[in-house]
Structure formats: structure tokens, C-alpha cells
Amino acid sequence: MDTGKYLVKADQELDLRHYATSEKGGIEERELLDNEIPERVSRLKELHWKLYAEEKKGILVVLQAMDAAGKDEAISYIFSNLNAQGLKTTTLGKPSAAEMSHDYLWRIHEALPARGQIGILNRSHYEEVIATRVHDLLGEETIPDHLEKEEDIWPVRFRQINDFERYMVENGFYVVKFFFHVSKEEQRKRLLERMKDPKKNWEFSFNDVREREHWDNYQEIFTDMLRHTSTEHAPWYVLPADDEWYSRYIITEVMIELLEKIDPQFPVISDEDRQKLDEYIEKLENE
């Protein structure tokens, strides 16, 4: 797979409308389900074990989207197959009073991965340049004194987020970001399914429908965010989220490419420990 097709290049003049929301990549869904995804998830699991065992590098995965675009399902079908000890998943909601008393990036620090871990942010620090902007929530926050107008804060936050992610990468924590590009019609179908199926009612929030009223504004803001925060060190990938299984396949391939680039290895024990290991093997075998 050419994952570069979904990559937002740094400083790219981007129009989100030019990205497909539906694409199967020429692979039948049954082929994805039965062969491609299980095989690639197995490879991802192998690489993740090495990352966890080596404990040198970490990966921060950012997932952003409109409601019902497939973030939760991607976590369930891909990342839940990995070593649970090497995973850390966090969903960021509305900031608490305590979080509001700090800088806007403060609350994600507890969600960051340790060395050997993959940390997943199901919604993330990007909410502070998305939802806050859509709903004009800056009145609840402290604005830097040097800014003349409130709207001047967005380029500043883009730069600050880019600097923060560069800091993460330079300290051994890779950052990769996935935007689930779902169509308004597909979202409508999924929300109706959740509303009509009693077994899926728990997934539904009335706020999901209310947020659709801001659809066009969200698309403009997503475009601005992707354009200004996809960098060489922390890239965004735009997923054709109407096709859920193919989107999961793309995520799996991107994660494998990144882990193969990191190239983690199982630790090799010392000669002294090897000798002791052989002694204990003999001891147990002779019990």
C-alpha cells in the first residue's frame, strides 16, 4: 500500500473537499477481514512486543474526527490486539475546572506514553483548536497578553502544538496523527443506526446531532488545522472513513511502517546472565 497517498505533506495547500471519504483501494472487504488485516495486525503485534521489551522509544497516536467516524472501532479492532501492558488509551472530554486553571496542553501530559508504550489519544490537544474555535469558548480561557484579537490565538496555538510535538519526537517519542474524514451522509446513517438499534443506544449522544449543525464550520477548521500542523516530524493522515475497514487497514500499515523505521529489538542478555540462565534451566529440569 502507498500510505503516502493519505499523508498531508508539511506546508501543503490543502482543501479537505479534495480528499475522498470513501475508497476501498481495490481490495474486497472480505479479503480485508479474512486475510489482509489479520496478517498485518499480527505483524504490528510482533513489532509492538519488541518496542515494549526494548523500552527505548514510544509512540503517540492522535485520533481526531467528527462523531461516529470510526475512532473507537479502530481502537477496538486494531490496537486492542496488542500487548495491553504496552498500551495507554485516553479520551479527552471537556476540560475540568482544575485543567482550566493550567495551560491548555497541561492535561495531556498524564496521557503521554512511557518508553516502550503506544499512547492513543481518542480526541486530543487538538480539541483546543477545533471545538474551542467552533463554539467560541476562548472567553473561558486566559488569552496571552500580547495578542490584540482573540482570533490571533490560532496561529500561535498551531505553532505551540508543532513545537510540543517536535519536543516529543526529539526525546524519543514519535507522533503520528489520523483524521477520520467521514461524509455528512455516512455520519447521518451511522447516527440513525445507533438511535434505532437498542443494542447501540449506549453509543449515542444527543450532542452528536447538535454538532451536525456546525458541520461546514468544522470542515473549514479541520482544513486549517491539517494544513498548519502536519509536519515532517508529526504528520497527519487523512482516512477515507466512510470505508471503515479500509481505514483500519491504512492505520495498520502506517503503524507498521513507523515501527519498522524505529526498528526495535528484543534485548540480548549478557554472557553472565546467559550462564546463570543455563544453570537455572538445568536446575528446573532436574527437579
Side-chain angles (χ1 to χ4, degrees), residues 3 8 35 77 86 109 149 170 182 190 221 224 235 251 277:
T3 58
V8 178
N35 298 309
Y77 286 101
H109 283 268
K149 297 177 294 184
E170 289 177 347
V182 68
R190 294 179 188 177
I221 289 171
D224 199 34
I251 293 172
L277 181 65

Side-chain angles (χ1 to χ4, degrees), residues 261-273:
K261 174 184 174 183
I262 296 171
D263 193 25
Q265 301 295 321
F266 287 122
V268 178
I269 65 174
S270 66
D271 291 339
E272 180 180 348
D273 284 342

Side-chain angles (χ1 to χ4, degrees), residues 196-240:
K196 292 181 177 182
D197 185 347
K199 294 181 180 179
K200 294 187 176 183
N201 285 168
W202 65 272
E203 296 183 79
F204 175 72
S205 167
F206 292 108
N207 191 58
D208 295 348
V209 176
R210 288 193 289 267
E211 288 298 287
R212 279 175 63 83
E213 298 173 7
H214 305 281
W215 183 274
D216 291 341
N217 197 10
Y218 268 111
Q219 302 310 304
E220 291 176 8
I221 289 171
F222 286 144
T223 296
D224 199 34
M225 174 201 74
L226 294 166
R227 182 187 299 136
H228 289 97
T229 61
S230 192
T231 61
E232 290 185 7
H233 56 274
W236 278 104
Y237 290 83
V238 177
L239 307 174

Side-chain angles (χ1 to χ4, degrees), residues 51-115:
L51 182 82
Y52 176 71
E54 190 179 58
E55 288 189 308
K56 289 183 178 180
K57 306 290 185 181
I59 301 175
L60 178 65
V61 179
V62 174
L63 308 179
Q64 286 290 155
M66 293 291 288
D67 299 302
K71 301 187 313 301
D72 294 341
E73 291 79 5
I75 293 171
S76 297
Y77 286 101
I78 300 172
F79 296 104
S80 65
N81 287 283
L82 306 184
N83 168 26
Q85 293 175 293
L87 281 179
K88 186 171 188 176
T89 303
T90 305
T91 300
L92 293 183
K94 184 178 179 180
S96 66
E99 290 168 341
M100 290 289 290
S101 68
H102 293 268
D103 66 275
Y104 71 95
L105 289 177
W106 178 82
R107 68 180 182 142
I108 76 163
H109 283 268
E110 190 173 340
L112 298 178
R115 300 189 189 280

